[in-house]
Amino acid sequence: MNCRKLARFLSAKPLLIAALFCLPAHAAKKQVIGFSQIGAESAWRSAETESIRSEAAARGIDLRFSDAQQKQENQIKSIRAFVAQHVDAIIIAPVVETGWEPVLREVKRAKIPVVLVDRGIRVSDDSLYATLIASDFVEEGRRAGDWLAKKLNGKGNVVELQGTTGAAPALDRKKGFEESIAKHPGIKVIKSQSGDFTRAKGKEVMEAFLKAEGKNINAVYAHNDDMALGAIQAIEEAGLKPGTDIIVVSIDGVKSAFEAMVTGKLNCTVECNPLLGPAAFDAIEAALSGKPVPKKTIVQDNVFDQEAAKNAIASRKY
Ligand code: GYE
């Protein structure tokens, strides 16, 4: 076809021309977002993953998901891969607080906004990320401590199952709890060890605590529900009654914790909402369109004891 013929052909096909111009432009608009997730250590984490995946799907976003299997080095690798793929934004749930500066500087140089979900980090330059969306972990620890101090009438021996070493929720939940029980000299933490936020590790560490301290233990404070559920199993296997012989308090508020409260085995959980998908993508949208984004958004949570659990269990979303 010569030029004149081509011009005549095209002028007779305005729709075709419009489609040729519009389609690629439209396809190019599909946002690509990388999500560096810690792993799948707890029911809480799986609920967070699901919230982010389903919100991405609802918004037509191409989500590149990477599971770091609890290792910071894997997260750093996946973040570098996202930069190489020129993603539009990156969501990170950082496993530990420290060690992020070099990789985040690379991301900043590539002008890719970073949204941190659920765990905070320590950096000297907070322009290395756009925003953090998370619960107040110190406050969660305080609430668990206040509830337990009341339940024990200000007196008793507590064993503590800590979360992943170096993780913001482990450090802060310990701190908040200690702050609270400092007001009650009759309450002592007689053992404290990491159970890595998993049910299996929580059970294993509780077995060791029971072996060492036995009936000396009045209560367990677990930094998440999964470890509390593992501890409950250990208590039962030791021939004791969780929830009665040993009081159990934890954090997260996942469905199985509510079930354990209804059956009387768990006494209290401090909620920590994992449904962060909508807020995370709203923050990305704002950051990409140059709108101001608050440096930190604190998620609002409640405390549930056995009575409250009975009323709330049917409406729990995770
Ligand atoms: O409490 C725990 C999880 O980072 C807030 O990580 C999150 C914590 C959550 O594995 O269950």
Side-chain angles (χ1 to χ4, degrees):
M1 212 185 304
N2 66 27
C3 277
R4 216 171 314 137
K5 269 192 189 155
L6 178 66
R8 224 179 306 133
F9 172 77
L10 288 178
S11 68
K13 306 261 184 310
L15 275 177
L16 175 72
I17 295 170
L20 279 173
F21 279 99
C22 294
L23 259 183
H26 178 73
K29 265 196 192 130
K30 189 159 179 157
Q31 248 176 20
V32 180
I33 293 174
F35 175 29
S36 171
Q37 176 59 295
I38 293 168
E41 75 280 4
S42 63
W44 190 100
R45 180 92 20 226
S46 305
E48 182 192 52
T49 296
E50 174 48 29
S51 170
I52 290 175
R53 275 188 193 277
S54 60
E55 188 64 22
R59 295 184 187 217
I61 288 167
D62 175 3
L63 188 77
R64 310 264 162 95
F65 179 80
S66 170
D67 177 332
Q69 314 269 327
Q70 313 297 315
K71 292 205 176 76
Q72 183 178 35
E73 64 202 70
N74 291 344
Q75 288 202 283
I76 291 173
K77 263 187 221 149
S78 69
I79 294 165
R80 290 201 168 117
F82 293 148
V83 172
Q85 292 161 27
H86 302 291
V87 298
D88 295 300
I90 301 176
I91 302 175
I92 308 172
V95 60
V96 290
E97 276 194 337
T98 55
W100 297 102
E101 291 228 14
V103 70
L104 289 186
R105 254 184 259 125
E106 293 167 32
V107 181
K108 192 182 170 188
R109 237 176 280 136
K111 298 195 168 53
I112 299 172
V114 168
V115 169
L116 301 176
V117 285
D118 87 83
R119 294 186 185 178
I121 57 173
R122 260 169 221 274
V123 280
S124 57
D125 170 8
D126 74 359
S127 76
L128 291 176
Y129 62 92
T131 187
L132 162 69
I133 302 163
S135 291
D136 180 343
F137 302 135
V138 177
E139 179 59 21
E140 289 173 348
R142 262 188 227 120
R143 286 173 163 189
D146 290 352
W147 184 89
L148 188 61
K150 201 164 166 206
K151 180 76 180 172
L152 294 176
N153 289 319
K155 199 179 168 315
N157 292 330
V158 181
V159 295
E160 179 182 31
L161 293 166
Q162 297 178 32
T164 301
T165 306
L171 296 161
D172 292 353
R173 287 171 182 170
K174 183 171 184 15
K175 186 170 170 240
F177 187 81
E178 280 168 359
E179 251 175 60
S180 162
I181 61 161
K183 291 177 267 168
H184 306 275
I187 295 184
K188 292 193 175 59
V189 176
I190 55 168
K191 291 262 175 208
S192 180
Q193 203 180 306
S194 173
D196 217 5
F197 280 133
T198 70
R199 194 185 280 229
K201 250 313 188 55
K203 177 168 187 266
E204 195 185 302
V205 175
M206 188 64 197
E207 280 165 1
F209 286 169
L210 284 161
K211 223 180 240 165
E213 297 290 342
K215 291 197 168 137
N216 259 339
I217 302 171
N218 303 113
V220 183
Y221 165 46
H223 289 188
N224 81 343
D225 288 339
D226 283 74
M227 292 190 294
L229 294 166
I232 284 170
Q233 249 176 293
I235 295 167
E236 284 180 323
E237 284 172 19
L240 296 166
K241 266 184 103 179
T244 314
D245 295 331
I246 296 181
I247 302 301
V248 187
V249 57
S250 64
I251 299 175
D252 274 358
V254 298
K255 200 53 166 268
S256 45
F258 275 72
E259 283 158 8
M261 282 195 285
V262 169
T263 55
K265 297 178 181 183
L266 179 70
N267 300 83
C268 175
T269 189
V270 179
E271 183 182 41
C272 178
N273 191 344
L275 307 179
L276 305 179
F281 291 108
D282 282 353
I284 288 173
E285 217 172 273
L288 287 174
S289 60
K291 289 198 194 116
V293 187
K295 208 72 228 179
K296 187 170 182 184
T297 302
I298 297 175
V299 180
Q300 296 308 317
D301 301 309
N302 293 308
V303 179
F304 294 89
D305 61 10
Q306 292 177 345
E307 227 11 75
K310 278 180 206 145
N311 300 321
I313 190 164
S315 59
R316 293 305 289 173
K317 292 201 178 63
Y318 60 92

